[in-house]
Amino acid sequence: VDSNYTIGHDEIIKLVQKVARSLGLICDLYSYTNAASTVTTPVGTRWSVSITGDNVHLIPCKEKPIGPHNCEGSTRYLGVVDVHVRKRSQPGPYCGFTLDKSPLFLLGNFVVTHNCYKANIPWQVPGMPKPIENMILRYVKSKADWWTSVAHYNRERIRRGATVDKAIARRNCGRLTRLWLKAEQERQRNYLKDGPYVSADEAVAIYTTAVHFLESRRFSPIPFPPLSYKHDPKLLILALERLRESYSVQGHLNSSQREELGLIESAFDAPHEALARIKRLLLTQRAFKEVGIEFMDMYSHLIPVFDIEPLEKITDAYLDQYLWYEADKRRLWAPWVKPADSEPAPLLVYKWCQGVNNLDGAWSTQNGECTVMLEAKLARVFEKIDLTLLNRLLRLILDHNLADYMTAKNNVVISFKDMNHVNSYGLIRGLQFAPFIFQYYGMIIDILILGLQRASEMAGAPTMPNDFLQFKDVETERRHPIRMYMRYMDRVYMLLRFDDQDESRELIQRFLTENPDPNNENVVGYNNKRCWPRDSRMRLMKHDVNLGRAVFWDIKNRLPRSLTTIEWDDEASFVSVYSRDNPNLLFDMAGFEVRILPKCRQLAEGTAAQDGSWALIDDRSKERTATAFLRVDDASIQRFNNRIRQILMSSGSTTFTKIANKFNTALIGLMTYYREAVVHTREMLDLLVKAETKIQARIMLGLNSKDCNRMPPVIFYCYGAGFRVRMADGSTKAIEDIAVGDQVLGADGLPRDVAHTMSGSAPLYSVSLAKPMAKSDDSHVPLNYNAPVVRTASSMSVQSICSGISSDSIDSAHGVAEADELLFSDEFLCNEKHRLVIRVSTKGELREKACRVGQPQWSDVGSFVVESVALRYDEELGFERPHTARQVFEYNTNFFGLAENGKALALREATAHAEKMRALAVSAGASPDCVY
């Protein structure tokens, strides 16, 4: 080692680095080339070593290194770096292993790394002996089973409402994400190996059905957006505003979100350039960047959230607006496709009830007529969309360039941390135009369920289309058993009316022929809506049960399994039968449990005159012919309960005002949506009471806590009246006299403009010394230090840390200095959380200062410490919350003294001297203008 602490031998420097890193220390090497030789440093490459970390001061050295310093740890975090990834031309062997307990281990260069089962990466090494491979397989299998079982166990606890720590819930969501991606990778591989699952005959039948329906509607395909499209600016603004709305409630944005907002603003500023770029990408771009995926935990289920590249998202948003506008103008959508802008969800439920009541002969049962209400969920319809078939179907209604763009956008890489795969099968629901694709694809499925003839009758003539739940005439309505049909996203609602008893018996006979039931087992497990009272449920009569199962079986057989299916055991599936033995028609829609009881089957006349029900009016007679009783369904109750759990789990150290606001928002949203349905839902009323109690308990916990972080982040500028503020010209002014536009003197000696003022009345506290020292004989020595602080929170104690005693001993009778004697700094904010610490000079320092009185360079120097509340971003919570900040302010009486500013004092003395000279000049008979 040279005298300037550099090393010239490469081997020695590498050994030093190896030893240091093996001890857990951070060792960095710096090299430089020495061109000129000196006595101490020869020519050549020299190395400088930097060793840092815990206990580094204990390393024996010739010269003592810097001692230990206060730091939070020796771990360093590197920022984001750009890397180049190149694929090797030939595959090569690799291996990995899993570790017990912590998955972290060291590489040869002491870099901490890990690899494990979670990433779904194969680990087999060519040439490994079979016994060793089997042993590793058994270990990996046991570890994987333990990892998976823990994930499912915690998910079941979370789903049932058990108290789970926030970290465990977050970790469980990550584990389930990896399990889902592992299963999705397997599904994609199986499709590439065994697919396509849609046979040629099925594809031809589906395509032909779509062609015939569109031709019957006289639909003209949507062209590629022209360069001079007159609605382009409006559509672009709608798309950009929709993207910007998603960031209106977010306090902190990551780099990708900031980039997206920047692109949105630039598109607002230059719409023509943005539109030209969008149309160029729609025409030419067929390869896209990878899509990130995460899952939002709703406790009862997980919702996938996709992260799309910002520039691509703007293009997709414009295309989405363009497609919906053009499709609606060309009347692409059938009236049964929901949701729609014309009916919010509660209004849609009311319209459906009114539609049932207005059917011709809906409540007649004298001749064995039956009404069947079917509701089911299309199973895995998003995941089973074949992209090749989708492209052909889209070309029927779109320009082929748009169809190719939309199909290729679904064939991208989906990534989550170290896991990724190519999506070759299924729809990516995070795309901006995914709702358009699904509604069109779902409408093709609707036509397969209804049949081409019945679908055309429900849609109406191309020149005069039908409204929702409307037919051309009664004869057309009664021509087919399916009288009403609606699809709300992936949930299907259908009402069938069997006016002929033989027709229902024939359907039951066909069902029993295919599915014999000699022991009457169809009744077992039949859902009869146990959420209602016993006398209001569906009565499980043999004829009605068999009819319900037969209708479900018939509709299920109309759906190709390669597209989707409906399952009887699904919680979303239910078939209600209204007949001579069953007076109620039951169904569940948009979160409402509905029970329709016709007037002709009501035992008492005044049964329907109560809260929580709708009186259904017949359009022809204008009389009330039925009553719809409402309640909130169990799934919605559970969703509200999970929302309360989210509020409580995310509260942490947040303020009680935010907790109360979140609860009020959830409660208002619940009541405005369900309204009268809440009245007759006993479970919901009980849950509201429990939720309010939990929220109140959490708020009281925050109110009673001494942690300042639980208090609202409200800062009060609360200097007491009479406090003197130093102005920019050197004078002082009472704080209550300062107005907007005045200039005060800043701590750096520069003027500061007053932006706004505030005032009010509140309990005030003055912090001063517990035992103020008496002034000496020389009155020029400032001995009385007082704090320039008042406080506005009576619940907070005033502390005088400098005196070492409690705040109870502080007494205002000890003498408070005059207003112009107070220290101040414009950086000092006075709020409800301040604790002021004043350092007082010792007797020796005061005696020394007294000896310096009268000297021009004399100044009094001191400092005070302020602990205040400051808003900082919390990485764990994702938003700003108050933290305690500690600042030390030093003062010098030459600038911020106890009495007057030195500059102002000198200016006043100079002015007095000038006045004296002018008086002498006048007495001598000269003009006073000679003095300046």
Side-chain angles (χ1 to χ4, degrees):
V1 181
D2 299 328
S3 59
N4 59 351
Y5 309 107
T6 60
I7 302 176
H9 299 282
D10 297 348
E11 295 298 330
I12 295 179
I13 196 65
K14 292 179 180 178
L15 290 175
V16 171
Q17 185 183 44
K18 182 176 180 180
V19 171
R21 288 183 173 179
S22 65
L23 296 175
L25 301 174
I26 299 173
C27 182
D28 293 324
L29 304 179
Y30 306 96
S31 64
Y32 65 94
T33 302
N34 188 33
S37 176
T38 62
V39 178
T40 59
T41 307
V43 178
T45 301
R46 313 300 297 170
W47 296 87
S48 177
V49 187
S50 173
I51 303 176
T52 58
D54 296 335
N55 299 323
V56 70
H57 62 285
L58 300 179
I59 299 177
C61 299
K62 184 176 180 180
E63 293 189 11
K64 194 64 177 176
I66 300 174
H69 57 279
N70 185 15
C71 62
E72 296 182 357
S74 59
T75 304
R76 294 187 306 170
Y77 298 93
L78 299 179
V80 180
V81 297
D82 295 328
V83 297
H84 296 282
V85 181
R86 296 182 178 87
K87 185 178 180 180
R88 298 181 61 179
S89 58
Q90 297 294 332
Y94 61 89
C95 61
F97 53 85
T98 58
L99 300 175
D100 190 14
K101 298 180 181 178
S102 174
L104 302 178
F105 62 94
L106 294 178
L107 297 180
N109 56 355
F110 303 100
V111 173
V112 179
T113 184
H114 72 90
N115 66 347
C116 56
Y117 153 80
K118 293 187 297 182
N120 202 26
I121 300 174
W123 55 270
Q124 286 84 358
V125 179
M128 179 178 289
K130 198 66 176 178
I132 298 178
E133 184 176 345
N134 293 336
M135 180 179 64
I136 297 177
L137 275 175
R138 287 195 302 270
Y139 175 76
V140 171
K141 180 68 167 59
S142 62
K143 191 73 173 179
D145 291 342
W146 166 83
W147 193 84
T148 307
S149 62
V150 169
H152 288 297
Y153 170 73
N154 286 331
R155 172 50 47 178
E156 186 64 20
R157 292 183 62 228
I158 293 172
R159 189 186 65 82
R160 293 186 178 183
T163 303
V164 179
D165 187 70
K166 182 169 60 176
I168 295 177
R170 189 187 306 112
R171 190 182 307 119
N172 181 259
C173 182
R175 288 190 174 187
L176 291 181
T177 302
R178 290 188 178 275
L179 291 175
W180 182 88
L181 285 171
K182 187 172 182 294
E184 182 66 14
Q185 291 174 0
E186 185 69 21
R187 193 178 76 94
Q188 297 290 340
R189 283 195 297 267
N190 292 338
Y191 173 77
L192 296 176
K193 181 177 63 175
D194 304 330
Y197 300 129
V198 181
S199 65
D201 295 339
E202 288 177 340
V204 170
I206 295 169
Y207 186 82
T208 305
T209 303
V211 169
H212 290 168
F213 180 77
L214 293 173
E215 287 180 349
S216 67
R217 306 302 302 159
R218 300 177 186 175
F219 181 80
S220 59
I222 301 174
F224 191 87
L227 291 178
S228 58
Y229 188 56
K230 64 178 181 179
H231 299 299
D232 266 346
K234 296 180 181 178
L235 294 178
L236 180 62
I237 290 175
L238 288 175
L240 297 176
E241 287 181 348
R242 182 182 179 187
L243 293 177
R244 192 166 59 179
E245 281 177 0
S246 60
Y247 297 108
S248 60
V249 295
Q250 296 190 13
H252 183 74
L253 305 178
N254 56 34
S255 60
S256 176
Q257 292 169 336
R258 287 193 296 269
E259 178 187 358
E260 181 177 341
L261 279 180
L263 290 173
I264 291 173
E265 296 300 331
S266 62
F268 271 118
D269 297 336
H272 298 290
E273 290 81 355
L275 287 169
R277 182 189 68 240
I278 288 172
K279 293 177 182 179
R280 184 182 69 253
L281 294 177
L282 289 176
L283 193 61
T284 61
Q285 188 176 16
R286 297 296 180 266
F288 305 93
K289 294 186 178 180
E290 67 177 24
V291 175
I293 185 174
E294 291 182 351
F295 279 86
M296 183 186 302
D297 193 356
M298 308 302 293
Y299 298 153
S300 60
H301 61 285
L302 299 179
I303 299 177
V305 180
F306 295 89
D307 184 17
I308 313 293
E309 200 272 332
L311 198 61
E312 297 176 4
K313 188 185 290 187
I314 294 177
T315 305
D316 298 345
Y318 167 80
L319 178 59
D320 179 59
Q321 296 289 337
Y322 173 75
L323 293 177
W324 281 106
Y325 173 75
E326 290 293 332
D328 188 64
K329 186 174 68 173
R330 287 170 166 77
R331 296 178 177 176
L332 171 65
W333 308 114
W336 64 75
V337 177
K338 302 297 175 184
D341 295 335
S342 55
E343 301 103 2
L347 179 59
L348 182 64
V349 179
Y350 178 76
K351 281 190 174 183
W352 185 267
C353 296
Q354 281 288 95
V356 174
N357 186 55
N358 288 320
L359 286 177
D360 185 63
W363 309 120
S364 176
T365 58
Q366 289 85 355
N367 300 321
E369 300 95 329
C370 297
T371 302
V372 180
M373 174 72 190
L374 179 145
E375 56 180 280
K377 182 178 181 180
L378 301 176
R380 300 178 62 84
V381 63
F382 291 97
E383 292 84 352
K384 289 187 175 183
I385 294 180
D386 189 281
L387 298 183
T388 304
L389 176 62
L390 176 64
N391 182 269
R392 295 301 174 184
L393 293 175
L394 286 175
R395 286 179 176 228
L396 295 176
I397 62 170
L398 301 174
D399 179 79
H400 67 93
N401 292 301
L402 297 179
D404 293 343
Y405 177 87
M406 297 170 70
T407 308
K409 198 71 170 68
N410 287 277
N411 189 21
V412 295
V413 176
I414 297 178
S415 64
F416 172 76
K417 295 184 179 180
D418 54 349
M419 303 180 70
N420 61 78
H421 67 276
V422 178
N423 184 74
S424 305
Y425 183 44
L427 178 69
I428 298 178
R429 284 177 275 181
L431 301 176
Q432 295 293 317
F433 49 77
F436 180 88
I437 293 179
F438 179 76
Q439 290 292 49
Y440 171 63
Y441 190 82
M443 192 173 69
I444 304 300
I445 296 176
D446 298 336
I447 299 171
L448 298 177
I449 295 176
L450 295 171
L452 194 57
Q453 181 65 28
R454 194 56 174 175
S456 299
E457 293 174 354
M458 284 189 166
T463 56
M464 190 177 297
N466 294 334
D467 291 333
F468 181 48
L469 305 179
Q470 180 186 10
F471 284 92
K472 178 182 178 181
D473 48 37
V474 177
E475 181 183 356
T476 306
E477 176 187 312
R478 298 173 66 99
R479 188 177 297 167
H480 194 278
I482 300 179
R483 306 294 173 82
M484 298 171 57
Y485 182 84
M486 180 185 69
R487 180 180 53 81
Y488 195 92
M489 294 302 291
D490 59 346
R491 292 180 67 100
V492 173
Y493 300 91
M494 184 185 312
L495 189 130
L496 301 91
R497 174 72 178 172
F498 296 96
D499 294 326
D500 189 358
Q501 189 175 5
D502 296 334
E503 190 177 5
S504 61
R505 287 180 178 176
E506 181 185 355
L507 179 60
I508 294 174
Q509 187 61 38
R510 287 195 289 116
F511 168 70
L512 293 177
T513 302
E514 294 284 341
N515 305 276
D517 184 30
N519 300 324
N520 296 326
E521 294 179 354
N522 285 337
V523 179
V524 179
Y526 195 99
N527 183 10
N528 64 341
K529 292 292 183 182
R530 286 185 172 85
C531 60
W532 293 102
R534 186 178 296 272
D535 58 342
S536 301
R537 302 172 187 170
M538 177 180 169
R539 301 168 186 174
L540 300 180
M541 311 302 294
K542 181 178 179 180
H543 173 271
D544 295 348
V545 168
N546 287 334
L547 180 59
R549 287 187 178 269
V551 168
F552 192 89
W553 167 79
D554 181 53
I555 299 301
K556 183 178 180 179
N557 289 339
R558 302 183 186 188
L559 291 170
R561 293 193 64 87
S562 57
L563 297 187
T564 184
T565 186
I566 55 177
E567 300 293 342
W568 178 262
D569 296 332
D570 194 345
E571 295 181 357
S573 299
F574 175 66
V575 181
S576 175
V577 179
Y578 172 81
S579 64
R580 187 181 303 169
D581 299 318
N582 272 293
N584 296 287
L585 186 67
L586 309 172
F587 63 92
D588 175 13
M589 182 183 294
F592 291 88
E593 289 280 0
V594 184
R595 176 173 67 92
I596 301 179
L597 180 63
K599 184 179 180 181
C600 60
R601 306 293 291 270
Q602 294 180 12
L603 300 179
E605 193 66 30
T607 304
Q610 54 183 310
D611 296 332
S613 62
W614 292 333
L616 304 181
I617 308 299
D618 186 84
D619 289 342
R620 294 177 291 272
S621 63
K622 305 301 180 182
E623 295 181 356
R624 181 180 61 84
T625 55
T627 304
F629 297 93
L630 307 174
R631 73 186 308 275
V632 184
D633 66 359
D634 295 337
S636 300
I637 296 174
Q638 187 61 35
R639 279 196 297 269
F640 181 76
N641 184 33
N642 290 335
R643 176 55 186 156
I644 300 302
R645 293 173 61 195
Q646 285 180 332
I647 294 174
L648 295 174
M649 186 174 293
S650 64
S651 61
S653 60
T654 189
T655 62
F656 55 83
T657 53
K658 288 186 178 180
I659 300 175
N661 290 337
K662 289 181 180 179
F663 175 71
N664 291 336
T665 302
L667 187 60
I668 291 173
L670 175 78
M671 299 305 296
T672 53
Y673 184 88
Y674 292 102
R675 298 167 63 91
E676 59 267 38
V678 180
V679 177
H680 279 181
T681 310
R682 177 73 62 181
E683 296 83 357
M684 176 57 78
L685 297 177
D686 295 341
L687 178 61
L688 288 174
V689 175
K690 294 178 181 178
E692 185 178 8
T693 303
K694 292 179 181 178
I695 294 295
Q696 287 179 350
R698 183 57 59 91
I699 291 175
M700 292 304 297
L701 181 65
L703 287 172
N704 296 330
S705 174
K706 295 181 180 180
D707 183 8
C708 62
N709 297 330
R710 297 185 184 273
M711 294 295 170
V714 181
I715 299 177
F716 300 94
Y717 294 79
C718 50
Y719 292 99
F723 178 72
R724 308 294 294 183
V725 179
R726 187 70 59 182
M727 307 306 290
D729 59 356
S731 62
T732 60
K733 193 175 185 179
I735 191 170
E736 63 270 19
D737 298 332
I738 292 180
V740 176
D742 291 349
Q743 286 190 331
V744 300
L745 188 64
D748 53 0
L750 299 177
R752 305 289 173 84
D753 295 328
V754 177
H756 62 277
T757 61
M758 60 187 67
S759 60
S761 177
L764 301 180
Y765 300 87
S766 175
V767 181
S768 60
L769 291 180
K771 297 180 179 179
M773 291 173 286
K775 294 184 180 181
S776 64
D777 296 337
D778 193 341
S779 59
H780 293 285
V781 182
L783 299 180
N784 193 1
Y785 292 81
N786 285 273
V789 185
V790 292
R791 305 179 59 177
T792 61
S794 59
S795 61
M796 309 307 298
S797 60
V798 181
Q799 301 180 21
S800 179
I801 301 178
C802 62
S803 61
I805 62 173
S806 63
S807 58
D808 297 334
S809 61
I810 299 178
D811 190 355
S812 58
H814 287 148
V816 180
E818 297 296 331
D820 58 354
E821 292 182 330
L822 299 179
L823 305 174
F824 79 97
S825 169
D826 68 331
E827 297 181 28
F828 178 60
L829 294 180
C830 178
N831 65 13
E832 59 182 3
K833 288 297 177 183
H834 278 164
R835 294 193 298 270
L836 188 64
V837 183
I838 305 175
R839 184 181 67 83
V840 181
S841 302
T842 62
K843 292 183 178 179
E845 292 174 336
L846 293 175
R847 190 178 300 108
E848 183 180 355
K849 292 177 183 179
C851 298
R852 294 200 301 263
V853 170
Q855 300 180 10
Q857 70 274 14
W858 177 84
S859 65
D860 183 21
V861 180
S863 66
F864 57 89
V865 180
V866 176
E867 294 185 1
S868 60
V869 175
L871 292 179
R872 295 179 186 172
Y873 181 76
D874 194 310
E875 294 287 347
E876 182 178 357
L877 299 179
F879 51 82
E880 289 184 339
R881 72 176 183 89
H883 291 75
T884 300
R886 188 175 186 272
Q887 292 177 290
V888 178
F889 295 97
E890 297 183 355
Y891 61 88
N892 189 312
T893 51
N894 285 342
F895 304 100
F896 302 103
L898 297 179
E900 298 249 290
N901 184 285
K903 180 179 179 181
L905 181 61
L907 181 63
R908 188 172 66 245
E909 291 178 352
T911 303
H913 180 70
E915 291 296 334
K916 184 177 180 180
M917 292 297 103
R918 289 191 185 95
L920 290 175
V922 170
S923 62
S927 174
D929 296 336
C930 64
V931 180
Y932 57 92

